[in-house]
C-alpha cells in the first residue's frame, strides 16, 4: 500500500489538494485527508508542492524500432522501459510502420508481453503501412478477437509515397473488418491511420464517413500536424466530431525551418479557439519511429527519430506558451486516448482506476512515476526497473 499525501490532483480536472491511497495496483481512495491505522504497512509519499496527473498514454510508438527508408543502417532501436517511464508514460500502444517485413507481429506481441512483465500497460495494432494487411491469424477481425494484446489495425498508410497505394475499396474493407473485430471482442477496433504529405490528405477517411455506416469514432488519423494544409483539413474533420492525433516533436524549432509542420501547442490552441471540443485531440510521440526527410522529388535526405519525451514537452508548451489550462492540455495524453482506445480504468485519477500516476513539479517536470501501483521512477534515485536499462 502507498499513500500520497497533500498533492494537487488533476484527475485530469483539478479537484484540489488531496491524499491518494493505492493498494493492489488500484486507486482505493482520494480524499482531503486520509488517516491510516498505525498497524497498516503503508509507504508514505510526500506530495507537498507537487501535482498529480494520470500516467501518460502514448498511442503510437514503434516499440520494435522503425526506419529502413534510407537503408538498413537507418533502422532505429527498440523502445526500453526506462525510455518510456522516465517521461511519464505508463501505457503504450505499439505499432509497426513502413517495414512490416523485417519486423513482424510475432515480434511486436513478444515486445508487448515483455513491457507488461516489466510493469507497464502495453497493447498493439495488427498490420503495418501495407494493404493487404499482414496479420497473425490470417484475418484482421480474428486477430483483434483472439489476441489480447491487439486493439485495432495500424498504422495503415494513406496519402504517402511509401504506402501500398490502396484503392478506396481495399481501404474500406480494412476499416469494416477492424470495426467488426472491435464489436465482437469489446475492444476499440480503432483504425490508426498514417497520413502523408500527398494532396489527397484525408480523402479516404472523409469518403468512408460520408458513404458508409462506419462512424468517425472508428478512426484515429495521426500526423495531422505534419503540414499546414493537412492540419486545416484536420480542423474541419474535428468539427465533424472526429478525433485527430497530433505527433509531438522534440525538435520542432528545426523542423519549422525545413517544412511547414504545425507546432502542437499552436495547433491545439487553434482548435480550441475554433470551438472544437477538448475531447477531440490526442498527442502521440511516434516514438522510436524514423523521421525521414525527403526532397520534393522523393529523394531521401536524412533521418531523425521520434522521442517519447515529447509528450510532456508538448503539454508543457500548451500551458507555458499558449496559456492553455493544464487540465485541458493533459487530456491529450490521458483521458482522451483512454476513451478513444477503450482502455478501461485508464486515463483518470478516480477510485477503482489503475494506479498509473505522474507526480510533477509546478513547472511540469517529472518527479515520480507510478505504474499499476509500483514506483517506476523517483527523482534523485537511479532507474533500476527493467533488464538492460
Amino acid at each position: 500500500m502507498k499513500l500520497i499525501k497533500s498533492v494537487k490532483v488533476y484527475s485530469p480536472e483539478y479537484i484540489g489538494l488531496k491524499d491518494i491511497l493505492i493498494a493492489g495496483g488500484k486507486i482505493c481512495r482520494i480524499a482531503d485527508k486520509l488517516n491510516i491505522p498505525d498497524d497498516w504497512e503503508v509507504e508514505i509519499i510526500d506530495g507537498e508542492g507537487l501535482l498529480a496527473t494520470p500516467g501518460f498514454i502514448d498511442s503510437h510508438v514503434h516499440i520494435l524500432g522503425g526506419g529502413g527508408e534510407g537503408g538498413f543502417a537507418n533502422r532505429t532501436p527498440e523502445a526500453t522501459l526506462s525510455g518510456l517511464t522516465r517521461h511519464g508514460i505508463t501505457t503504450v500502444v505499439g505499432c509497426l510502420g513502413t517495414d512490416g517485413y523485417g519486423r513482424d507481429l510475432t515480434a511486436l506481441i513478444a515486445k508487448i508481453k515483455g513491457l507488461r512483465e516489466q510493469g507497464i500497460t502495453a497493447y498493439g495494432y495488427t498490420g503495418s503501412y501495407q494493404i493487404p494487411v499482414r496479420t497473425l491469424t490470417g484475418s484482421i477481425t480474428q486477430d483483434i478477437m483472439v489476441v489480447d494484446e491487439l486493439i485495432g489495425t495500424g498504422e495503415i498508410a494513406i496519402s504517402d509515397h511509401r504506402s501500398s497505394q490502396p484503392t478506396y475499396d481495399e481501404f474500406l474493407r480494412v476499416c469494416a473488418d477492424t470495426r467488426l473485430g472491435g464489436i465482437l471482442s469489446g475492444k476499440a477496433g480503432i483504425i490508426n491511420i498514417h497520413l502523408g504529405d500527398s494532396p489527397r490528405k484525408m480523402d479516404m477517411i472523409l469518403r468512408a464517413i460520408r458513404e458508409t455506416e462506419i462512424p468517425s469514432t472508428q478512426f484515429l488519423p495521426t500526423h495531422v500536424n505534419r503540414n499546414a494544409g493537412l492540419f486545416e483539413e484536420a480542423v474541419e474533420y474535428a468539427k465533424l466530431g472526429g478525433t485527430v492525433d497530433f505527433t509531438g516533436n522534440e525538435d520542432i524549432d528545426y523542423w519549422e525551418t525545413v517544412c511547414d509542420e504545425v507546432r502542437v501547442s499552436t495547433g491545439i490552441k487553434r482548435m480550441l479557439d475554433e470551438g472544437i471540443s477538448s475531447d477531440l485531440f490526442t498527442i502521440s510521440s511516434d516514438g522510436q519511429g524514423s523521421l525521414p526527410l525527403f526532397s520534393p522529388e522523393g529523394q531521401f535526405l536524412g533521418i531523425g527519430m521520434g522521442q517519447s519525451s515529447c509528450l510532456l514537452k508538448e503539454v508543457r508548451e500548451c500551458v507555458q506558451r499558449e496559456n492553455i489550462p493544464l487540465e485541458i492540455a493533459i487530456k491529450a495524453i490521458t483521458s482522451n486516448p483512454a476513451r478513444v482506445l477503450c482502455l478501461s480504468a485508464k486515463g483518470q485519477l478516480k477510485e477503482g482506476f489503475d494506479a498509473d500516476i505522474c507526480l510533477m513539479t509546478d513547472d511540469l517536470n517529472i518527479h515520480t512515476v507510478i505504474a499499476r501501483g509500483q514506483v517506476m521512477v523517483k527523482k534523485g534515485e537511479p532507474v533500476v526497473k527493467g533488464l538492460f536499462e
Side-chain angles (χ1 to χ4, degrees):
M1 299 178 69
K2 296 176 178 64
L3 179 63
I4 305 172
K5 297 285 291 182
S6 301
V7 67
K8 291 176 282 188
V9 176
Y10 288 80
S11 65
E13 297 79 15
Y14 181 62
I15 61 174
L17 199 67
K18 304 288 182 182
D19 291 353
I20 304 174
L21 180 64
I22 299 168
K26 298 287 185 178
I27 297 172
C28 296
R29 285 291 306 278
I30 300 177
D32 291 341
K33 187 175 179 61
L34 292 171
N35 295 312
I36 304 300
D38 292 337
D39 58 345
W40 285 19
E41 292 186 8
V42 179
E43 176 186 351
I44 304 297
I45 299 175
D46 184 6
E48 186 173 355
L50 301 175
L51 55 88
T53 72
F56 306 157
I57 300 170
D58 196 341
S59 62
H60 188 110
V61 181
H62 296 269
I63 56 176
L64 290 177
E69 288 107 327
F72 296 109
N74 293 121
R75 290 163 61 93
T76 62
E78 290 189 8
T80 63
L81 179 69
S82 67
L84 298 167
T85 56
R86 79 175 94 177
H87 302 302
I89 296 165
T90 58
T91 298
V92 64
V93 184
C95 61
L96 300 173
T98 318
D99 180 10
Y101 300 88
R103 300 176 177 92
D104 62 17
L105 278 176
T106 300
L108 182 70
I109 292 169
K111 181 67 175 181
I112 291 169
K113 290 179 182 292
L115 290 171
R116 289 182 174 188
E117 289 179 5
Q118 289 178 304
I120 66 172
T121 301
Y123 293 97
Y125 301 114
T126 189
S128 56
Y129 267 29
Q130 291 81 33
I131 296 177
V133 172
R134 296 165 64 87
T135 64
L136 197 66
T137 65
S139 160
I140 291 173
T141 302
Q142 193 167 349
D143 271 12
I144 297 169
M145 278 187 66
V146 304
V147 183
D148 170 66
E149 291 83 3
L150 300 178
I151 60 173
T153 303
E155 60 177 310
I156 298 296
I158 62 172
S159 302
D160 195 297
H161 68 94
R162 294 164 293 174
S163 79
S164 55
Q165 305 303 317
T167 66
Y168 171 68
D169 288 341
E170 289 173 329
F171 174 75
L172 196 62
R173 174 54 54 201
V174 169
C175 298
D177 289 349
T178 302
R179 176 171 168 78
L180 180 59
I183 291 171
L184 295 176
S185 63
K187 298 178 184 176
I190 204 79
I191 306 108
N192 182 261
I193 301 174
H194 165 103
L195 297 171
D197 284 306
S198 163
R200 291 183 290 172
K201 302 182 182 71
M202 301 174 67
D203 284 358
M204 283 194 179
I205 301 172
L206 294 169
R207 183 179 173 187
I209 294 170
R210 286 195 308 266
E211 297 181 2
T212 77
E213 298 73 35
I214 300 173
S216 61
T217 51
Q218 219 66 48
F219 300 94
L220 185 60
T222 190
H223 315 321
V224 298
N225 55 314
R226 73 181 308 139
N227 63 60
L230 178 58
F231 174 68
E232 292 300 323
E233 188 158 287
V235 170
E236 297 306 313
Y237 176 73
K239 288 180 179 179
L240 297 174
T243 300
V244 299
D245 183 55
F246 288 85
T247 301
N249 193 331
E250 277 285 5
D251 301 315
I252 185 61
D253 292 331
Y254 163 75
W255 285 91
E256 281 183 324
T257 67
V258 298
C259 64
D260 60 345
E261 181 172 339
V262 177
R263 187 181 292 264
V264 172
S265 60
T266 303
I268 288 178
K269 181 65 162 58
R270 162 77 184 287
M271 292 180 73
L272 294 172
D273 288 347
E274 292 270 354
I276 294 169
S277 169
S278 61
D279 293 334
L280 295 180
F281 51 78
T282 62
I283 306 171
S284 64
S285 71
D286 205 10
Q288 307 305 119
S290 62
L291 301 177
L293 182 62
F294 295 95
S295 71
E297 295 75 31
Q299 180 183 1
F300 176 77
L301 299 176
I303 198 164
M305 187 175 76
Q307 305 288 331
S308 296
S309 57
C310 71
L311 292 194
L312 181 54
K313 173 260 184 185
E314 301 296 5
V315 168
R316 190 184 297 118
E317 281 201 358
C318 284
V319 174
Q320 298 175 356
R321 185 185 177 102
E322 301 292 346
N323 296 312
I324 298 170
L326 176 60
E327 61 188 66
I328 291 178
I330 202 71
K331 290 170 67 175
I333 58 174
T334 58
S335 58
N336 287 356
R339 185 192 69 256
V340 170
L341 300 175
C342 296
L343 304 180
S344 61
K346 298 290 185 184
Q348 299 182 63
L349 297 185
K350 292 178 63 174
E351 294 177 5
F353 274 53
D354 289 348
D356 294 342
I357 303 172
C358 286
L359 301 182
M360 293 186 285
T361 57
D362 283 334
D363 57 356
L364 302 183
N365 286 303
I366 294 291
H367 183 282
T368 300
V369 178
I370 299 171
R372 297 188 340 220
Q374 299 300 313
V375 175
M376 309 298 287
V377 175
K378 191 171 184 179
K379 185 178 180 180
E381 296 184 2
V383 176
V384 296
K385 296 284 185 181
L387 199 59
F388 309 126
E389 300 297 336

